[in-house]
């Protein structure tokens, strides 16, 4: 392979990773957190007890809906599991004359007054309002405080740059696999490069998979021409990708709805897997239809099969057709990306590989400044572009984790009956993050790094302590009750807190004034020794 080609790939690797590297860091960090979306949903609502009998929750959901919305256009029930905080309920009222019709998961408005949560005891649960892990899941591709369409374009473009950076990185580092087993400490640029290589190679198949499949999830947005050429409206696309049974027309004849527990049991027997959603159209009418969807946790393809039953008799009337090869391929790609099929062991692998990807992006951004600082004529007086990159690194890599930690604390400290509480938690994240960015602009980076890492570590360590003292869902209580999911969240917070404290100590020690003066003197001596050689040349 020619040297000029490798140099061109190195240039492409550097700038494709840098220009949108901060967006990639946010996407990787939030997406990694979202692998434990269900666990965070439960952690964020400590008032709720663990679901041990999903059938009891489903029975309570049917009783509530029959009393609260007997004449609704449709119901949607997310079936509870041992990993969920309960059964989420949504219902769509009958449309008024002249009002557009819409129901189900892709239609109708989900207002505050047409949704509810049924807890483990089968009754309506009264818990703090929060978006839990769902926020991080949406944030990693929708971002926040900006139109969704622009956010997805930005994330999609950043993902394309990520794919370019990965492929060119493999080409650029001809000894990348050998260097994976090399980690030289206290060697400045060489140490950063070793760390960057190790986190990249350690999970290289995962990085390629998660980046490519992420692009597949946005393919209709990034490359819409095939869709536009074959479909005239969104309805046609939905019918092709998500076939549904024919809708029943309300007959006006009242008929009681069959027991949903029996319908769910029959569907699980036919599908050979648990069910995730139950949708009822025209409940309480003789024309009612019940549609049951298989849980995506039971298969790799997210386009799960569905069954439809008559609501009045419980007779099976429709089975979803087998998806086309293209639809099944897309469903498998999305399933690989989301990892909903993964059990606890594989989910931990997903999570740890996501952490490696986050470190890979962060170390690459820091490596850019470390590498170029050594080339500056006067490292103590870098140019404006260098300072911008350096402070953006501090603001994003150091500030965003502290903002995420602030979200956890806001979840615990805000009043449980506060109106708009879920949005207030999110605002706490961005306010703290903005303060960190402001500090990064004003303070010297060596101080800002250690302070932000230290505060993040201390705040993370105190979270499990607070849970133990002020809630009934502390680490020890969760372990004693066998609730490994909640115990795992607290233990992970504790581990990351210790890691951030160690990192803060390391950064403070490495960037102490005495050490910086020694480095500066060494660099100055190198420059002075190089000058005569340059003149002779």
């Amino acid at each position: 392979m020619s040297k000029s080609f490798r140099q061109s790939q190195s240039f492409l690797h550097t700038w494709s990773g840098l220009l949108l590297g901060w967006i990639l860091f946010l996407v990787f960090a939030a997406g990694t957190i979202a692998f434990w979306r269900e666990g965070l949903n439960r952690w964020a609502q400590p008032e709720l007890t663990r679901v041990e009998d999903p059938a009891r929750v489903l029975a309570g959901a049917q009783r509530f809906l029959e009393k609260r919305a007997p004449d609704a256009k449709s119901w949607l029930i997310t079936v509870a599991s041992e990993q969920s905080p309960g059964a989420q309920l949504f219902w769509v009222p009958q449309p008024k004359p002249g009002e557009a019709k819409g129901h189900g998961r892709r239609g109708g408005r989900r207002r505050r007054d047409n949704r509810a949560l049924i807890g483990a005891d089968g009754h309506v649960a009264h818990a703090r309002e929060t978006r839990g892990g769902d926020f991080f899941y949406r944030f990693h591709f929708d971002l926040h405080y900006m139109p969704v369409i622009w956010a997805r374009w930005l994330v999609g473009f950043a993902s394309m740059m990520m794919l370019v950076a990965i492929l060119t990185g493999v080409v650029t580092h001809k000894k990348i696999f050998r260097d994976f087993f090399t980690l030289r400490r206290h060697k400045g640029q060489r140490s950063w490069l070793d760390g960057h290589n190790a986190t990249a190679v350690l999970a290289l198949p995962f990085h390629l998979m998660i980046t490519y499949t992420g692009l597949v999830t946005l393919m209709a947005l990034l490359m819409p021409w095939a869709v536009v050429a074959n479909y005239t409206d969104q309805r046609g696309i939905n019918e092709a990708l998500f076939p549904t049974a024919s809708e029943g027309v309300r007959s006006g004849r009242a008929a009681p709805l069959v027991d949903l527990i029996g319908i769910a049991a029959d569907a699980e027997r036919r599908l050979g897997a648990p069910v995730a959603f139950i949708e009822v159209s025209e409940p309480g009418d003789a024309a009612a239809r019940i549609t049951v969807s298989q849980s995506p946790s039971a298969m790799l393809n997210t386009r799960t099969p569905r069954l439809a039953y008559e609501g009045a008799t419980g007779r099976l009337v429709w089975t979803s057709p087998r998806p086309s090869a293209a639809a099944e391929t897309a469903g498998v790609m999305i399933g690989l990306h989301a990892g909903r099929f993964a059990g606890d062991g594989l989910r931990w692998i997903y999570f740890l590989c996501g952490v490696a990807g986050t470190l890979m992006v962060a170390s690459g951004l820091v490596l850019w400044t470390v590498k170029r600082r050594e080339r500056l004529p006067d490292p103590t007086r870098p140019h404006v572009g260098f300072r911008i990159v350096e402070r953006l690194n501090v603001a994003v890599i150091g500030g965003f984790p502290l903002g995420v930690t602030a979200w956890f604390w806001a979840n615990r400290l805000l009043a449980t009956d506060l109106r708009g509480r879920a949005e207030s938690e999110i605002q706490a994240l961005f306010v703290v993050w903005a303060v960190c960015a402001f500090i990064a602009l004003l303070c010297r980076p060596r101080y800002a790094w250690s302070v932000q890492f230290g505060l993040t570590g201390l705040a993370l360590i105190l979270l499990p302590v607070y849970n133990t003292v002020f809630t009934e869902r502390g680490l020890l209580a969760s372990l004693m009750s066998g609730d490994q999911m909640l115990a795992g969240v607290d233990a992970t917070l504790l581990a990351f807190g210790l890691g951030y404290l160690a990192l803060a100590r390391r950064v403070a020690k490495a960037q102490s004034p005495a050490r910086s003066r020694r480095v500066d003197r060494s660099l100055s001596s190198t420059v002075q020794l190089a000058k005569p050689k340059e003149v002779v040349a």
Side-chain angles (χ1 to χ4, degrees), residues 264-276 292-295 298 304-307 309 319-320:
D266 181 77
E268 289 181 354
R269 179 182 60 82
R270 293 176 184 273
L271 296 172
V275 299
V292 182
S293 302
Q294 180 179 317
S295 172
T304 56
R306 290 180 289 168
L307 305 174
Y309 298 83
T319 301
S320 61

Side-chain angles (χ1 to χ4, degrees), residues 26-305:
L26 300 179
V27 171
F28 255 97
T32 300
I33 295 172
F35 283 133
W36 294 108
R37 177 182 176 184
E38 294 83 2
L40 286 180
N41 286 342
R42 286 194 55 213
W43 186 93
Q45 294 180 310
E47 301 87 357
L48 303 178
T49 58
R50 182 174 52 171
V51 174
E52 297 182 353
D53 185 3
R56 182 183 182 185
V57 180
L58 180 57
Q62 182 173 1
R63 288 194 304 270
F64 172 84
L65 288 170
E66 287 175 340
K67 182 179 179 180
R68 178 66 176 80
D71 300 321
K73 177 67 179 175
S74 66
W75 301 341
L76 177 64
I77 304 172
T78 59
V79 180
S81 66
E82 294 182 356
Q83 289 75 36
S84 66
Q88 294 281 352
L89 311 181
F90 304 95
W91 60 93
V92 178
Q94 289 291 341
K96 298 177 182 178
E99 184 180 4
K101 296 182 179 180
H103 69 283
R105 280 179 284 168
R106 292 176 293 278
R109 292 186 60 192
R110 295 180 178 179
R111 305 186 307 269
R112 178 185 294 271
D113 59 350
N114 66 350
R115 60 184 180 181
L117 174 66
I118 304 299
D121 59 357
H123 299 286
V124 177
H126 299 284
R128 64 190 68 192
E129 181 188 358
T130 180
R131 289 181 61 184
D134 295 337
F135 164 71
F136 296 101
Y137 169 72
R138 302 295 301 189
F139 180 79
H140 98 280
F141 59 89
D142 281 351
L143 303 180
H144 205 68
Y145 295 133
M146 66 185 302
V148 170
I149 186 69
W150 292 111
R152 294 189 182 185
W153 267 108
L154 181 59
V155 171
F157 188 68
S159 299
M160 285 189 282
M161 293 299 98
M162 177 69 178
L163 188 60
V164 171
I166 292 174
L167 296 177
T168 55
V170 174
V171 174
T172 300
H173 299 100
K174 58 182 179 180
K175 300 178 181 178
I176 187 171
F177 290 102
R178 190 186 74 178
D179 289 346
F180 168 67
F181 299 98
T182 304
L183 185 59
R184 284 155 284 199
R185 303 175 62 186
H186 309 296
K187 297 296 182 181
Q189 175 187 332
R190 186 72 254 180
S191 298
W192 281 105
L193 183 59
D194 289 344
H196 183 65
N197 288 341
T199 54
V201 180
L202 176 66
L204 181 59
F206 173 85
H207 299 330
L208 284 169
M209 179 275 293
I210 208 71
T211 304
Y212 179 74
T213 55
L215 287 170
V216 170
T217 64
L218 299 173
M219 62 181 177
L221 174 67
L222 301 176
M223 296 187 295
W225 304 284
V227 175
V228 172
N230 290 277
Y231 302 98
T232 59
D233 56 16
Q234 186 66 34
R235 185 180 182 88
I237 301 173
N238 289 339
E239 289 177 353
L241 295 178
F242 309 101
T244 58
S246 58
E247 298 182 7
V249 180
R250 196 170 187 87
S251 65
R253 293 183 290 109
L257 191 69
V258 297
D259 184 13
L260 292 181
I261 294 180
I263 293 293
D266 181 77
E268 289 181 354
R269 179 182 60 82
R270 293 176 184 273
L271 296 172
V275 299
F277 301 99
I278 298 178
E279 187 176 348
V280 182
S281 62
E282 307 296 350
D285 190 83
R289 285 287 176 87
I290 304 172
T291 304
V292 182
S293 302
Q294 180 179 317
S295 172
S297 64
M299 62 186 301
L300 183 57
N301 191 351
T302 57
R303 308 274 166 80
T304 56

Side-chain angles (χ1 to χ4, degrees), residues 395-470:
V396 176
I397 300 173
F400 182 70
L402 186 55
V404 171
T405 307
W407 178 90
F408 280 92
W409 275 106
N411 175 267
R412 286 296 186 257
L413 298 180
L414 290 177
T416 56
D417 57 349
L418 178 67
R419 185 173 181 82
R421 189 181 188 283
E423 189 61 28
S424 296
E425 292 178 355
I426 298 170
Q427 289 172 357
L429 184 156
F430 285 98
V431 167
V432 172
W433 187 14
V435 172
C436 291
F438 185 71
I439 293 174
L441 292 175
L442 296 181
C443 299
R444 292 184 179 182
R446 66 167 176 256
Y447 297 127
W449 279 119
S450 56
V451 168
Q452 292 185 13
F453 284 156
L455 288 175
T456 302
L458 182 62
L460 285 173
I461 288 176
L462 291 177
L463 272 168
V465 177
Y466 180 92
N467 285 339
T468 300
V469 176
F470 295 102

Side-chain angles (χ1 to χ4, degrees), residues 337-374:
H337 187 83
R340 297 190 183 98
F341 67 95
D344 289 344
L346 185 55
R347 193 172 295 267
W348 273 109
I349 294 176
Y350 261 80
F351 178 76
L352 293 176
C353 288
V355 172
T358 307
L359 292 175
M360 174 188 67
V361 175
S363 61
L365 291 170
V366 174
L367 179 61
W368 189 94
T369 60
V370 172
K371 188 175 182 180
R372 277 151 185 80
R373 182 180 291 277
E374 296 180 357

